[in-house]
Amino acid sequence: MEEDIPVTDHGSFDLEAYISNYTGHGKVDRLLFIAERSTGKPLELEALRMAHDELKKTEATARYQEVVAKIDGRLGASYTLDRVWVENTERRSQQRGERLESELQGFKAALMKESIRLGHTDLGDWAYGRGDLQTAFKCYVRSRDYCTSSRHVLAMCHNVVRTAIELGNFVHVANYVSKAESTPDVGSEAAQLAQLRAASGLQLLHSRKYKQAARKFCEVGPDLGTSYSDVLSLHDVAALGGLAALGFLDRSELRTRVIANIGFREVLEAAPEIREVVHAFYASQYAVALRSLEALKPSLLLDLHASEHVHALYNAIRHRALCQYVQPFSSVNLAAMAEAFNTPIAALEKQLATLIMDGAISARIDSATKVLYASKADARATTFARVLAAGEAYCRDTRALLLRANLVQHDFVQVGVGGGRSKKDRLERGLYDMGGMGGGGGLMYGLGGMGLGRSMMI
Amino acid sequence: MEGLVAQVIGLSNPNDLNQLLTALKSSETVFNQNYQQIVPALQALDPAQHSLAYAFFLHHLAKGNLPTPNAAFMDSASRFLIVCDASQIQLAPDVFVSVARKLKTHVLAGAAPCPRRGVAPLLAGLRALQPNPEVLTPLHADFFQLCLLSRCYSAAAPVLDQDIFDVAPQQTGSTPTDLFLYCYYGGMLCIGEQGRKQHARALELLLQAVTAPSLAGNAIVAAAYKKYVLVCLIHAGALQPLPKFTSSCVKHVIDAEARPYNELAAAYAARNGDKLRRAAEQHGAVFAADGNLGLVRQVLASMAVRSIQRLTQTFLTLSLEDIAANAGLAGGAQEAEARIVRMVAAGQITAKIDGRSGMVRFADDTARGGGGASTSSAAAGVSAAGGGGGGSWDSAASVAMLDERMRAVLELGKRLQQAHEMVSQDRAYLTKVTARERSKYDLGGGAGGLGAGLAGPGGGASGETDFGPFSASGAAV
């Protein structure tokens, strides 16, 4: 989804507090994302400055040069390109890389399995530190063949998943998360398990499987702590999980998985504002919930992972709120409802109309008096209609089947100028084709039932 | 020639017909040499009594260089087709069909073609050629074509309503092309006739044309598919996917030929009036070339009708402006009003327009079964039969209607059972099945299984599945 709506209000956004939740690459990525999203605003420069400071501590010279180019001298002399540092770091890093490489060759020659694994992992770490994600990914994956214990497998998976998330390659994330989850000792370390679930939730979120993502996030326990701070903070898990759950889980599931879930409740403590929203929503105080959601929107739009999905999630939450609001009433005054939802009547009417057409709400709108009437479906009439339609379809299919059987029996096949295949061939094919028509047979039982159903109804 | 006529008169009784047939078949040269005497000879014969010979005489008469249209030929052929004796002409279906087809050519030829003249004779000929009403004849397609050209939809109705279950190529000499044309022209007749029920039948026929077994794509299938798409959109509001037994070469032809139609269907599925209109305009030339412009126009109109019908399920009251905006009508409130008036008159929706405030009040029609948008043909038939209004399912008429439908279903079920039994007793089928079973269970089995395989047919339908392991164990022992 393209973000056309500019992020307008940054007044309340506390960059310092937000970014202190993260470390490592996650921190830099987020800062750069924020800078990109708030081009031309004071926030951009602040984010770039912090990114610059952060990068100076690492070996990622390419990234550093990128950021300096973005700053473009706007932050004074201390934020211009530091050539000496770049060259020094470059040289040091190069040497380390070469050393690691030659060590690895040595291990390989000596066929020392454990050392080869370590060598690959070290080389991956080095490339990761350099910001060369592709190489890092390759190195980590290569270490796979030399894993001997399940701890090694878990460590390898952890590295691969982290790199793949940064690369945005969520297929690999899914693969390696499931690989890690199927290793025997996965439950031994609570934090590691939580990390895997968070990563899996993130992957599902990005593949727009929101419902599953909500379930995955809700499984993340408070043990995650700050252990995954280079990818996700506890706050993120709470926010993404909470929003996805609001939008895509039904009421009972929302209760069991979010509100009554002790583990996730603790996670939600990390994001009190989301917790408030969830509780307000569950208590049917939609106006409150929607208003606080609106207030949260700007900061969510600045989040690396959330921003792309904010609109989808918000729409889903809104639709769910509308459906739940309408459900208990037989008639609803749209004016009152508009007030409760803090929306103009016309917009509300349009949204309701869309929901009715999609079949989410069974009701009809009286546009003249602005009242929504719930429409009770006539189960009897619909059943009759459906039975008749099924009967009709059965007759049609059976007629087609009988004719087709006859055509095959008489070898009544349109043949091209080329002559086609032999008769025997075609007969064989015809028999298989008839197998495809077998669906009609199943319907027959349905119609037997129709007779019974009819006598019961009349 | 005189000898032949005498022979005909002498042999035209039921017992000697076969002998006569051989004689007529072998006297090709007589006909060719005495071409001029065929007409006078015809005078000596009676079309009802000497039907078989009459067919041969007419056939050879038409084969020569007879100028079209020839009034005398048309007269005698028409009379012959109407009065001919079914048992005689069924001996020589090919000759009979060729006479009927010649009549069609003559009727359609000339400066002032008069297809109506051929309708009644062809119908009579078709009936005479059919051993029973469920059999397809080569004349079906020709008859339908004449009905189409002369707009005699009512004449075709009884033939159209009769389902075809048998093609019987030995008895009537029909070919796959006849079947395709039967389905195609039949579909077109159903489209031409107004009314929902006919659309359903048209879909059925066109689908039969598209899914009939075929090893080569042909133009009839492509044309039938195009019409199928359009009728599907008008009737059901969405393109139903083709069944999986559609032959692959047909799919190829469709992919290559009918892309504009598929695009139109995609635009329709998106419920976007503008997009649909654009698709229709963009491919207008193609639709015109295929002669489907009228149907495309109906598709466009049905889109507006459908969107208004959807509105009736969403709103109780709505202003005309909002209707126009929601349904994507370019003409604004006036067009919306005109359309609603038309739809109410046609019984597609129930609504009242308040002229002063410009508000439309939709009546609650959910009780009417099926509820508008996707009314199946069955439900439409019911609301008509039940007299409309709420609770139409309580009337005696609807019970009778249900009963009748149940009977039709049971009838078909019985027929299916018969077909099943016939197949399970078919020797060729059983040998094939046992062979397949044997190869599945008994990979190394040689001749040992053969004796068991021959014993198979007695086993019948239920035996065939149990049979495999038996033969396998027999071979192992």
Side-chain angles (χ1 to χ4, degrees):
Chain A
M1 197 186 302
E2 280 307 311
E3 306 292 324
D4 297 328
I5 305 153
V7 186
T8 45
D9 173 32
H10 295 312
S12 59
F13 189 69
D14 188 349
L15 183 64
E16 201 84 46
Y18 169 76
I19 211 67
S20 65
N21 283 326
Y22 305 98
T23 55
H25 282 203
K27 189 169 183 174
V28 179
D29 281 344
R30 274 159 208 275
L31 284 169
L32 290 180
F33 183 78
I34 291 170
E36 201 181 299
R37 277 296 146 92
S38 50
T39 320
K41 301 206 181 64
L43 196 62
E44 182 196 1
L45 287 181
E46 200 185 334
L48 285 174
R49 186 172 56 78
M50 291 168 106
H52 175 276
D53 291 349
E54 187 66 29
L55 281 167
K56 205 97 190 250
K57 294 181 217 154
T58 67
E59 291 183 345
T61 48
R63 209 94 202 265
Y64 167 77
Q65 280 165 327
E66 224 174 89
V67 171
V68 170
K70 270 193 188 146
I71 292 175
D72 201 15
R74 282 179 293 177
L75 284 169
S78 53
Y79 289 97
T80 48
L81 191 61
D82 186 347
R83 278 182 204 290
V84 184
W85 178 82
V86 170
E87 273 166 30
N88 282 340
T89 323
E90 194 83 11
R91 197 170 50 242
R92 208 158 7 99
S93 174
Q94 211 69 45
Q95 282 168 357
R96 212 178 123 227
E98 278 160 21
R99 203 188 67 233
L100 287 170
E101 192 80 45
S102 64
E103 271 176 22
L104 180 63
Q105 293 306 330
F107 296 143
K108 273 189 180 165
L111 290 175
M112 294 153 72
K113 243 189 156 185
E114 175 60 12
S115 303
I116 297 174
R117 185 184 73 82
L118 280 174
H120 275 305
T121 311
D122 285 343
L123 208 56
D125 285 342
W126 168 75
Y128 183 78
R130 294 266 299 154
D132 186 355
L133 296 173
Q134 292 290 357
T135 314
F137 184 79
K138 269 184 225 151
C139 291
Y140 288 137
V141 170
R142 269 183 212 138
S143 75
R144 186 178 147 174
D145 297 337
Y146 304 98
C147 292
T148 44
S149 74
S150 57
R151 264 194 45 215
H152 296 163
V153 176
L154 284 178
M156 180 273 298
C157 287
H158 174 75
N159 283 330
V160 172
V161 166
R162 190 183 54 179
T163 322
I165 288 179
E166 259 178 66
L167 278 169
N169 192 335
F170 289 98
V171 181
H172 286 302
V173 177
N175 284 343
Y176 281 88
V177 166
S178 60
K179 194 176 182 56
E181 277 173 345
S182 59
T183 44
D185 293 341
V186 69
S188 61
E189 246 182 279
Q192 199 151 36
L193 191 62
Q195 284 177 10
L196 286 175
R197 283 179 181 159
S200 157
L202 198 60
Q203 176 260 325
L204 289 166
L205 183 79
H206 279 285
S207 32
R208 300 189 189 281
K209 293 171 186 155
Y210 296 119
K211 195 166 186 163
Q212 286 152 279
R215 288 182 185 150
K216 261 299 178 232
F217 277 129
C218 290
E219 285 171 14
V220 177
D223 313 303
L224 185 70
T226 55
S227 65
Y228 218 27
S229 62
D230 50 353
V231 179
L232 275 178
S233 70
L234 209 53
H235 177 275
D236 288 338
V237 174
L240 294 174
L243 291 178
L246 282 186
F248 291 89
L249 297 186
D250 59 33
R251 218 175 139 76
S252 62
E253 212 174 342
L254 184 70
R255 188 180 159 69
T256 50
R257 284 184 193 269
V258 180
I259 293 178
N261 179 345
I262 298 171
F264 196 67
R265 203 158 58 189
E266 258 180 77
V267 175
L268 272 178
E269 295 297 326
E273 66 282 3
I274 297 285
R275 191 195 56 202
E276 292 309 315
V277 171
V278 170
H279 283 274
F281 194 90
Y282 188 70
S284 302
Q285 293 163 340
Y286 300 115
V288 179
L290 291 176
R291 210 174 300 129
S292 12
L293 274 179
E294 261 339 284
L296 283 173
K297 201 169 181 178
S299 56
L300 282 172
L301 279 174
L302 285 178
D303 187 88
L304 177 64
H305 294 298
S307 70
E308 204 183 315
H309 307 283
V310 166
H311 281 284
L313 291 174
Y314 270 44
N315 280 338
I317 292 175
R318 202 179 169 76
H319 285 170
R320 191 159 282 275
L322 287 171
C323 294
Q324 286 185 2
Y325 184 94
V326 169
Q327 219 163 34
F329 299 108
S330 69
S331 68
V332 183
N333 189 337
L334 286 190
M337 190 170 172
E339 207 167 296
F341 276 89
N342 211 1
T343 327
I345 293 187
L348 182 71
E349 191 179 315
K350 199 163 267 174
Q351 286 169 8
L352 283 172
T354 334
L355 284 172
I356 295 172
M357 283 189 200
D358 291 344
I361 300 179
S362 154
R364 292 170 80 197
I365 303 170
D366 188 341
S367 185
T369 53
K370 302 292 176 202
V371 178
L372 181 81
Y373 291 100
S375 59
K376 39 207 176 309
D378 187 347
R380 200 172 115 97
T382 34
T383 310
F384 267 107
R386 267 172 50 198
V387 166
L388 281 175
E392 192 83 353
Y394 166 75
C395 289
R396 203 177 49 235
D397 290 350
T398 314
R399 282 199 296 264
L401 164 77
L402 286 169
L403 177 65
R404 192 181 174 79
N406 194 272
L407 293 182
V408 174
Q409 191 187 343
H410 289 294
D411 193 27
F412 211 66
V413 181
Q414 183 81 6
V415 192
V417 192
R421 281 165 290 176
S422 72
K423 178 180 167 170
K424 199 178 151 226
D425 249 22
R426 274 177 286 153
L427 267 179
E428 201 132 313
R429 239 169 56 94
L431 278 174
Y432 287 127
D433 281 357
M434 272 177 68
M437 298 275 304
L443 260 165
M444 224 159 64
Y445 300 105
L447 279 154
M450 166 176 149
L452 274 178
R454 189 179 67 111
S455 52
M456 281 191 303
M457 272 185 285
I458 295 171
Chain B
M1 190 46 120
E2 283 78 22
L4 190 61
V5 172
Q7 205 179 1
V8 165
I9 293 171
L11 289 174
S12 275
N13 59 64
N15 301 328
D16 300 327
L17 277 177
N18 281 324
Q19 204 183 334
L20 176 63
L21 182 62
T22 346
L24 284 166
K25 272 189 182 158
S26 57
S27 44
E28 184 110 352
T29 43
V30 182
F31 283 117
N32 286 343
Q33 281 161 10
N34 304 301
Y35 183 71
Q36 297 305 327
Q37 287 157 33
I38 293 180
V39 179
L42 272 175
Q43 306 292 336
L45 295 176
D46 178 58
Q49 265 175 28
H50 315 119
S51 293
L52 184 60
Y54 212 90
F56 272 89
F57 277 77
L58 278 174
H59 169 63
H60 286 284
L61 176 67
K63 228 169 63 174
N65 50 356
L66 202 63
T68 55
N70 182 310
F73 172 76
M74 283 199 283
D75 282 341
S76 45
S78 304
R79 202 159 64 88
F80 164 65
L81 284 177
I82 289 171
V83 301
C84 69
D85 176 32
S87 60
Q88 288 196 28
I89 54 104
Q90 279 178 16
L91 289 174
D94 49 337
V95 175
F96 184 71
V97 167
S98 112
V99 172
R101 288 220 168 119
K102 275 287 185 238
L103 174 64
K104 189 186 88 176
T105 329
H106 279 263
V107 161
L108 292 180
C114 183
R116 194 179 282 269
R117 274 192 72 175
V119 171
L122 271 169
L123 178 58
L126 184 153
R127 291 281 185 229
L129 193 57
Q130 272 180 324
N132 69 60
E134 288 167 4
V135 179
L136 179 76
T137 67
L139 293 183
H140 271 85
D142 302 298
F143 169 62
F144 282 170
Q145 192 190 358
L146 286 182
C147 289
L148 264 181
L149 290 172
S150 59
R151 298 181 188 283
C152 281
Y153 298 120
S154 52
V159 183
L160 264 181
D161 288 340
Q162 174 65 50
D163 291 311
I164 293 293
F165 288 114
D166 198 354
V167 286
Q170 289 86 15
Q171 290 173 50
T172 61
S174 47
T175 63
T177 310
D178 293 328
L179 176 77
F180 283 117
L181 283 174
Y182 157 73
C183 294
Y184 178 64
Y185 284 132
M188 279 176 72
L189 278 173
C190 291
I191 298 167
E193 251 176 309
Q194 291 304 312
R196 272 179 179 283
K197 183 80 182 151
Q198 295 306 315
H199 272 158
R201 179 81 180 133
L203 279 181
E204 194 179 338
L205 281 169
L206 290 173
L207 194 62
Q208 253 163 24
V210 176
T211 55
S214 164
L215 287 177
N218 61 48
I220 308 170
V221 169
Y225 178 75
K226 289 168 184 173
K227 295 220 188 295
Y228 172 76
V229 172
L230 297 176
V231 180
C232 221
L233 291 181
I234 296 169
H235 178 66
L239 180 60
Q240 281 137 6
L242 290 176
K244 62 182 172 193
F245 50 82
T246 313
S247 85
S248 57
C249 57
V250 168
K251 282 183 187 145
H252 278 302
V253 172
I254 286 167
D255 283 344
E257 297 257 320
R259 190 162 303 128
Y261 293 85
N262 288 336
E263 279 174 27
L264 195 74
Y268 199 99
R271 292 183 187 172
N272 185 334
D274 282 338
K275 215 169 140 196
L276 185 71
R277 229 165 286 140
R278 234 175 301 130
E281 272 163 29
Q282 190 190 342
H283 302 296
V286 182
F287 297 143
D290 292 335
N292 287 333
L293 217 48
L295 277 176
V296 171
R297 234 175 268 131
Q298 281 187 48
V299 169
L300 293 186
S302 82
M303 175 80 164
V305 168
R306 279 230 155 68
S307 37
I308 290 178
Q309 272 178 341
R310 256 204 308 276
L311 287 179
T312 68
Q313 278 153 35
T314 313
F315 291 95
L316 278 174
T317 59
L318 193 63
S319 68
L320 284 170
E321 285 86 11
D322 286 343
I323 291 177
N326 269 317
L329 303 176
Q334 278 90 18
E335 191 187 340
E337 185 168 354
R339 267 186 199 278
I340 288 172
V341 168
R342 233 177 301 147
M343 284 172 70
V344 172
Q348 287 162 319
I349 55 171
T350 11
K352 284 190 181 119
I353 303 177
D354 184 343
R356 209 163 21 159
S357 57
M359 274 290 179
V360 184
R361 172 164 281 279
F362 299 119
D364 191 15
D365 61 351
T366 41
R368 244 183 23 166
S374 60
T375 330
S376 71
S377 58
V382 168
S383 52
S392 63
W393 299 103
D394 296 331
S395 66
S398 64
V399 173
M401 204 266 321
L402 270 178
D403 222 45
E404 182 210 328
R405 259 165 214 283
M406 298 273 299
R407 206 164 300 133
V409 166
L410 290 177
E411 190 79 18
L412 265 178
K414 215 179 286 165
R415 199 183 264 279
L416 197 63
Q417 190 63 35
Q418 271 170 11
H420 178 75
E421 274 161 17
M422 240 166 69
V423 171
S424 8
Q425 287 164 14
D426 186 68
R427 197 182 182 82
Y429 170 74
L430 282 175
T431 24
K432 190 193 283 290
V433 168
T434 44
R436 201 182 300 154
E437 291 282 306
R438 206 165 43 237
S439 66
K440 212 189 296 172
Y441 289 102
D442 180 9
L443 287 169
L450 195 71
L454 283 175
S462 57
E464 77 206 26
T465 41
D466 310 341
F467 193 65
F470 251 116
S471 77
S473 60
V477 171

